[in-house]
Amino acid sequence: MANPQASPILHHPQNHLSLFHFRTTTSPRSFSSLHFRKPLLFLPSSSSSLFSSSFSSRLQQSEQQCDNHQVRHVSTVPVEYSTPTPPESDDFLSEIDRLNSLRAKLDVSKDLRRKDAVIDADSRVRRFFSENRGGLSQVLGSLGLNSKEMFLVKCVIAAGQEHALCMNFEEAFEQEAEEYTVRSSVKNALYALVEMIERFDVNSSGYKGRREIGTVLDAEEITHFRKFLTFLEEVEQFYDCIGGIIGYQIMVLELLHQSSKRRNTNRSHLVEESLGCQYLEMHTPSVLDLTQKADYASQAAIWGIEGLPDLGEIYPLGGAADRLGLVDSETGECLPAAMLAHCGRTLLEGLIRDLQAREFLYFKLYGKQCVTPVAIMTSAAKNNHEHVSSLCERLKWFGRGQSNFRLFEQPLVPAVSAEDGQWIVSKPFVPVSKPGGHGVIWKLAYDKGVFNWFYDHGRKGATVRQVSNVVAATDVTLLALAGIGLRYNKKLGFASCKRNAGATEGINVLMEKKNFDGKWEYGISCIEYTEFDKFGISNRSPSSNGLQADFPANTNILYVDLHSAELIGSSSNAKNLPNMVLNTKKRIEYIDQYGDYHSVMGGRLECTMQNIADNFFNKFPSRCQGSLEDKLDTYIVYNERRRVTSSAKKKKPHASAALHQTPDGALLDILRNAYDLLTECDIKLPMIETNDKYVDSPPPYLILLHPALGPLWEVSRQKFKGGSISSCSELQLEIAEFSWNNVQIDGSLIITAENAMGSTTPNDNGEPILQYGLRCGKCKLHNVKVVNRGIDWNSKSNVYWRNDVNRLETCKIILHGNAEFEASNVTIEGNHVFEVPDGHKLKITPGNAGLSINLEALKEEVKETGSWYWNYQLNGSHIHLQQVEVSQN
């Protein structure tokens, strides 16, 4: 532990100054040979007698069956085997050394012809084609591969992944085995035998051995092989900055080697060596605490609103979201996280709705239309790209026009075994593949022209938000983050909060480094939870380890300066793939070609988008003294956790009390935010208790408010005043132009405005474009009491987080077009649906026999603006609202 006096940097006042202190020296590495497995269908002739005699007898039986034209399948039930011993550290180093040498030669080769000569000279490639001459060469030749495609195949072989080819079954018994490692000889033997039996020519007498060119691969295999080539080309092209396929495998092996070294070597040496510095210290960072500086938070949010025309929006949606376990109830198809229906709409719709609420606020303040360009990174995982594209098209691009969206697809990458870094293959030419992490977004955005697209829209910065976080746009958080970044020309900003111990989330830290040139670097960075062990950080509860509890949580809510990000994304080295990691602590599940289920420890090469911050450190000639926050290009805004992050990223386990990061837990945080907002408006309602109270019980009420009622709570508070919401009640408001004064709800009230923020008009391409403030639906409630039986809280089919509930009674108000509804001094009791047609106002007042209901047409002169509206005015750093009645002649 470093002496606090040695590094007098001011940080978060109640936290420790310094938490880690590393020094380093260098040490030589040694290399030795390493032999990886041959293709899965290769069987050595000198294999164990355990199965050699069995093979002979089974082969004779198979030949006899073929003579009788009766082919039977051999059982492919997996055979148990002992866990192989991982390769020695020196073996990894030897293979890394060989591949590094090959990469260096390929890097200096200027064209494909020279690269092909280099790859042909590789010892593994030479051996492979020498031992498989004839069969493999003829197969590849029969497919008509061009030079580039052959080069990709050779790269796979050179990288030690020839088992992904799974060809040459005819020569299975002719291979020498002394220098190869086989995962399970018995299992592979049986599988190879199945392949041979299935490929017999049943129209002739017995096993034919070699077959004619063009019949070695069937049509399905050829299709798989062509897709495999496309997959390889994408990996080779995208990872060109680290050496393509060869570089990908080098990085996998290096990370596996580092992981094994951490178990046996001084951790500080490894960390500093990997970061290229002679001294490293991590501090608890200073933060701009929005909870403690209300006036500053308001001012920063105003900067964010003012700067909206300079901002873009970026959504990394390419993740596989395996933990969510989302499945289409009708088709059984696995779905990406963006398609999760939460609170009545998909998560992607929720992101766009939050964005439109900020644009609506901009319109109300400045009277101008502002449509933010949105870039969405998708992937092929779970048909992510197709689902997102189809959703956007089905919803007519959310009334924003297709030209304001840019979808770009991230490549999938090979999943590898935690044991030895070998690619996991489910069937011939079909490696198990996953998205390569959201950190690929910067390079991919550059490669796909996304930065230039933003510039064409006049944008300077962008906010970045993940789809599973449903509360990121609450109150001032997102606007203040962007406002500070724009105002002070920062390169990168984090929205942060208190970290939940044990959560699968990283931490934000202030890095202090001394480089080998004697200069010092400082900057805000992120340590992912998968890297805690690398840095010696425990993920236990604060009571057992107070270190990680002092750091704020990384939430992956970012502000980024586009030009700065583009400089990193366009770099020709590994900088554009920040913080490459290999998390092998999860299981990779797949079904092989024989229908067998497999679950193995593994991972894939990933990088993290937030660690682009590591490229934005500020350099100083000497060690800094005092506060640094004004001198850095990176910064953190801090808020209450439930106003920053609450994610629906994993399915609630059965019989589990853990609601954190589940759709159920995210709904509870939405309700807590509603409680905080409405109680500030003098509305009485029950408090939401801790999550464990609702594991087997419904929430105390259901309150869902349209974000355009604010989105700043300072705005929302002026639209609500007084009243109460009873336990087991429901309030849903899909409306922006709304006034609540002393309203009491004991049951269910649902108000839906068709034109919540405005109406659409066609653009030059015939697309409907939302015009903010035009012909909005409006509602006023003054001294109103709503009483009905509401939601059937005893119904077993209710899914509250999905907003899928059964109701006994409700009061529902539906406003079509620019319709208006007003109720004053009345009690609305029982089940009611008030549906108001476009161009009309429905007024409810006390009558002689209950309610007096009056429907009247709006005057022509007020149809565009309505009979009243909220006028928004800036007063310093605050927004004041005034209700304006429009005179009607």
Side-chain angles (χ1 to χ4, degrees):
M1 180 71 70
N3 182 354
Q5 300 302 318
S7 179
I9 299 174
L10 299 181
H11 305 295
H12 202 284
Q14 66 265 37
N15 289 341
H16 300 293
L17 168 69
S18 171
L19 297 182
F20 298 95
H21 180 196
F22 300 128
R23 296 188 185 277
T24 185
T25 58
T26 58
S27 60
R29 300 190 299 180
S30 60
F31 301 91
S32 63
S33 62
L34 171 66
H35 295 298
F36 286 94
R37 293 191 298 271
K38 296 194 71 175
L40 294 178
L41 298 185
F42 282 7
L43 292 175
S45 59
S46 58
S47 297
S48 169
S49 60
L50 175 66
F51 57 85
S52 59
S53 60
S54 174
F55 271 6
S56 177
S57 61
R58 284 185 180 272
L59 187 57
Q60 291 174 1
Q61 294 172 14
S62 300
E63 289 174 342
Q64 181 62 42
Q65 290 169 350
C66 286
D67 286 338
N68 298 329
H69 305 292
Q70 294 177 350
V71 178
R72 296 181 181 178
H73 290 264
V74 177
S75 172
T76 58
V77 175
V79 179
E80 295 298 326
Y81 60 93
S82 60
T83 303
T85 302
E88 297 295 331
S89 177
D90 287 345
D91 292 338
F92 270 100
L93 291 174
S94 176
E95 183 69 357
I96 292 169
D97 189 47
R98 182 185 70 83
L99 292 175
N100 269 322
S101 175
L102 176 60
R103 178 173 62 178
K105 295 173 183 176
L106 290 171
D107 284 346
V108 298
S109 302
K110 301 300 183 183
D111 53 42
L112 181 59
R113 181 180 61 82
R114 291 185 176 90
K115 290 179 182 292
D116 203 45
V118 169
I119 204 80
D120 281 342
D122 177 73
S123 59
R124 185 181 289 275
V125 175
R126 288 202 319 270
R127 183 172 66 241
F128 185 89
F129 280 95
S130 173
E131 294 173 350
N132 295 280
R133 59 185 177 275
L136 178 60
S137 299
Q138 291 176 2
V139 171
L140 296 176
S142 71
L143 295 173
L145 303 188
N146 59 36
S147 300
K148 177 64 175 178
E149 291 169 334
M150 277 299 300
F151 174 75
L152 294 173
V153 172
K154 293 172 185 176
C155 284
V156 172
I157 298 167
Q161 309 308 312
E162 56 265 40
H163 62 277
L165 300 174
C166 288
M167 292 194 279
N168 250 20
F169 61 88
E170 308 95 338
E171 299 176 354
F173 292 141
E174 300 174 3
Q175 306 304 315
E176 294 300 323
E178 287 80 8
E179 61 183 12
Y180 291 96
T181 301
V182 179
R183 181 194 298 262
S184 169
S185 297
V186 176
K187 180 185 287 188
N188 288 335
L190 293 175
Y191 287 174
L193 185 57
V194 171
E195 285 290 320
M196 289 186 287
I197 292 174
E198 290 179 339
R199 293 177 184 274
F200 282 359
D201 184 352
V202 296
N203 295 317
S204 61
S205 57
Y207 180 58
K208 297 293 294 181
R210 290 189 194 281
R211 298 185 299 163
E212 295 299 320
I213 304 291
T215 63
V216 175
L217 299 182
D218 60 29
E220 182 181 6
E221 289 172 326
I222 291 174
T223 299
H224 287 320
F225 184 66
R226 285 294 174 189
K227 290 181 178 179
F228 182 50
L229 290 175
T230 300
F231 169 78
L232 295 177
E233 185 174 11
E234 290 176 349
V235 174
E236 176 73 10
Q237 180 178 345
F238 184 76
Y239 290 94
D240 56 359
C241 58
I242 60 172
I245 294 170
I246 302 298
Y248 183 92
Q249 194 61 22
I250 290 172
M251 187 60 64
V252 165
L253 296 178
E254 285 182 341
L255 290 170
L256 279 175
H257 176 62
Q258 289 174 15
S259 178
S260 64
K261 282 179 67 178
R262 284 199 294 270
R263 292 191 289 267
N264 306 303
T265 311
N266 180 273
R267 183 178 284 113
S268 64
H269 156 67
L270 292 174
V271 172
E272 291 173 344
E273 181 183 33
S274 66
L275 295 177
C277 62
Q278 61 173 310
Y279 175 95
L280 171 67
E281 194 161 346
M282 292 193 300
H283 306 270
T284 305
S286 283
V287 299
L288 298 166
D289 192 339
L290 304 179
T291 66
Q292 301 298 316
K293 302 176 180 179
D295 287 339
Y296 183 79
S298 297
Q299 180 61 74
I302 295 300
W303 292 335
I305 286 295
E306 288 175 347
L308 206 59
D310 293 325
L311 288 170
E313 195 99 343
I314 300 175
Y315 303 146
L317 305 188
D322 292 330
R323 290 182 295 169
L324 195 56
L326 185 61
V327 176
D328 189 305
S329 59
E330 295 182 359
T331 66
E333 180 187 9
C334 292
L335 297 175
M339 303 304 295
L340 177 71
H342 194 266
C343 294
R345 62 191 56 82
T346 66
L347 291 178
L348 178 56
E349 290 176 78
L351 294 188
I352 299 298
R353 197 169 77 135
D354 285 342
L355 174 59
Q356 289 176 326
R358 299 195 294 278
E359 293 170 343
F360 180 76
L361 177 58
Y362 179 86
F363 171 82
K364 296 293 285 186
L365 283 172
Y366 304 108
K368 299 177 183 177
Q369 183 89 351
C370 178
V371 180
T372 306
V374 178
I376 302 176
M377 183 177 73
T378 64
S379 76
K382 300 179 180 177
N383 290 319
N384 178 298
H385 185 82
E386 289 75 14
H387 282 297
V388 171
S389 300
S390 297
L391 179 64
C392 292
E393 292 169 0
R394 186 168 70 252
L395 298 178
K396 300 180 180 179
W397 300 97
F398 305 95
R400 308 174 66 78
Q402 185 174 356
S403 63
N404 284 302
F405 286 88
R406 184 67 175 266
L407 275 60
F408 57 113
E409 188 173 354
Q410 74 177 108
L412 301 181
V413 300
V416 301
S417 165
E419 171 195 330
D420 53 15
Q422 292 282 277
W423 294 6
I424 300 172
V425 180
S426 63
K427 62 178 67 175
F429 318 124
V430 184
V432 177
S433 57
K434 300 281 186 179
H438 47 54
V440 303
I441 196 167
W442 311 118
K443 181 181 188 299
L444 192 66
Y446 176 76
D447 290 347
K448 300 297 184 181
V450 175
F451 289 110
N452 286 332
W453 177 76
F454 273 128
Y455 301 148
D456 290 342
H457 282 77
R459 308 296 151 151
K460 300 176 182 177
T463 47
V464 184
R465 183 180 170 190
Q466 289 188 289
V467 71
S468 60
N469 185 349
V470 298
V471 301
T474 303
D475 196 16
V476 297
T477 302
L478 206 56
L479 285 170
L481 174 69
I484 292 169
L486 286 171
R487 183 76 174 185
Y488 296 108
N489 297 313
K490 299 288 189 178
K491 293 182 179 179
L492 189 76
F494 296 84
S496 189
C497 58
K498 183 179 180 180
R499 184 175 185 273
N500 280 346
T504 55
E505 61 191 12
I507 55 176
N508 290 130
V509 301
L510 173 65
M511 287 285 196
E512 180 185 33
K513 297 196 303 181
K514 184 179 182 181
N515 296 328
F516 291 111
D517 61 4
K519 294 184 178 180
W520 293 78
E521 288 189 17
Y522 296 86
I524 304 297
S525 184
C526 169
I527 307 298
E528 268 297 332
Y529 72 96
T530 56
E531 297 284 279
F532 282 0
D533 181 61
K534 173 181 175 180
F535 288 89
I537 303 172
S538 171
N539 199 27
R540 294 173 294 174
S541 65
S543 59
S544 60
N545 177 14
L547 297 182
Q548 55 87 15
D550 286 338
F551 292 106
N554 173 66
T555 65
N556 284 340
I557 306 170
L558 308 173
Y559 164 81
V560 64
D561 175 74
L562 290 172
H563 179 68
S564 300
E566 183 187 24
L567 288 177
I568 304 305
S570 63
S571 60
S572 58
N573 53 39
K575 286 199 312 182
N576 58 17
L577 297 172
N579 190 38
M580 281 184 278
V581 296
L582 184 66
N583 178 17
T584 57
K585 297 180 181 179
K586 296 181 180 179
R587 290 195 167 272
I588 303 292
E589 299 177 345
Y590 65 96
I591 305 296
D592 68 17
Q593 71 218 65
Y594 307 105
D596 290 333
Y597 167 81
H598 296 263
S599 177
V600 299
M601 299 305 294
R604 77 277 196 190
L605 192 61
E606 299 178 80
C607 46
T608 51
M609 64 180 179
Q610 65 273 15
N611 281 99
I612 192 176
D614 297 339
N615 296 287
F616 300 145
F617 287 5
N618 294 88
K619 290 186 178 181
F620 300 88
S622 60
R623 197 172 194 180
C624 290
Q625 309 292 320
S627 178
L628 276 175
E629 60 189 47
D630 293 335
K631 303 175 184 177
L632 300 181
D633 289 323
T634 50
Y635 64 101
I636 298 175
V637 298
Y638 186 94
N639 206 344
E640 290 281 351
R641 182 178 177 88
R642 60 178 173 262
R643 302 181 196 177
V644 178
T645 181
S646 188
S647 297
K649 62 170 58 175
K650 63 183 181 182
K651 187 176 181 179
K652 176 183 175 292
H654 292 295
S656 172
L659 297 184
H660 180 63
Q661 296 184 329
T662 67
D664 314 67
L667 172 64
L668 290 173
D669 281 331
I670 290 173
L671 297 181
R672 290 184 180 102
N673 285 329
Y675 172 87
D676 291 345
L677 168 63
L678 296 178
T679 52
E680 291 179 5
C681 305
D682 295 325
I683 298 174
K684 297 178 181 179
L685 66 165
M687 179 181 291
I688 305 289
E689 299 185 61
T690 57
N691 283 359
D692 61 301
K693 300 293 185 181
Y694 307 106
V695 172
D696 299 312
S697 303
Y701 41 74
L702 190 61
I703 300 177
L704 301 174
L705 307 177
H706 196 293
L709 286 164
L712 298 178
W713 286 6
E714 180 180 61
V715 172
S716 304
R717 285 195 298 264
Q718 297 175 68
K719 297 180 180 181
F720 293 88
K721 183 179 180 181
S724 64
I725 300 174
S726 300
S727 180
C728 296
S729 290
E730 173 186 26
L731 173 64
Q732 296 198 38
L733 299 179
E734 285 296 304
I735 190 170
E737 294 285 59
F738 177 73
S739 177
W740 162 304
N741 191 345
N742 190 30
V743 178
Q744 300 175 56
I745 299 176
D746 185 5
S748 171
L749 173 62
I750 301 173
I751 303 175
T752 301
E754 194 176 76
N755 293 353
M757 295 175 286
S759 60
T760 60
T761 58
N763 64 6
D764 294 339
N765 297 322
E767 297 177 298
I769 303 299
L770 178 62
Q771 303 295 322
Y772 292 114
L774 179 64
R775 298 174 60 83
C776 290
K778 303 175 189 293
C779 180
K780 285 184 186 179
L781 302 177
H782 181 72
N783 291 332
V784 173
K785 188 173 184 179
V786 176
V787 180
N788 55 60
R789 291 191 293 163
I791 291 175
D792 180 3
W793 296 92
N794 293 318
S795 173
K796 300 298 184 182
S797 63
N798 289 348
V799 183
Y800 297 98
W801 61 261
R802 197 184 294 153
N803 193 17
D804 182 6
V805 297
N806 295 295
R807 297 176 179 87
L808 300 172
E809 290 180 330
T810 185
C811 175
K812 182 176 289 187
I813 300 168
I814 302 172
L815 305 176
H816 295 282
N818 65 344
E820 298 183 11
F821 180 92
E822 291 185 11
S824 58
N825 303 312
V826 295
T827 296
I828 304 175
E829 190 170 358
N831 196 47
H832 291 276
V833 177
F834 300 103
E835 193 162 359
V836 189
D838 183 24
H840 289 74
K841 175 190 285 189
L842 182 67
K843 297 183 69 172
I844 298 181
T845 56
N848 294 330
L851 301 178
S852 173
I853 302 175
N854 181 34
L855 178 67
E856 59 184 29
L858 292 172
K859 297 290 182 65
E860 190 65 35
E861 59 267 24
V862 301
K863 283 189 175 181
E864 297 298 311
T865 62
S867 65
W868 67 274
Y869 62 88
W870 286 111
N871 182 39
Y872 292 45
Q873 291 291 329
L874 273 175
N875 185 0
S877 61
H878 297 279
I879 301 173
H880 289 176
L881 270 61
Q882 181 181 4
Q883 195 173 123
V884 176
E885 300 288 337
V886 179
S887 60
Q888 302 181 52
N889 297 327

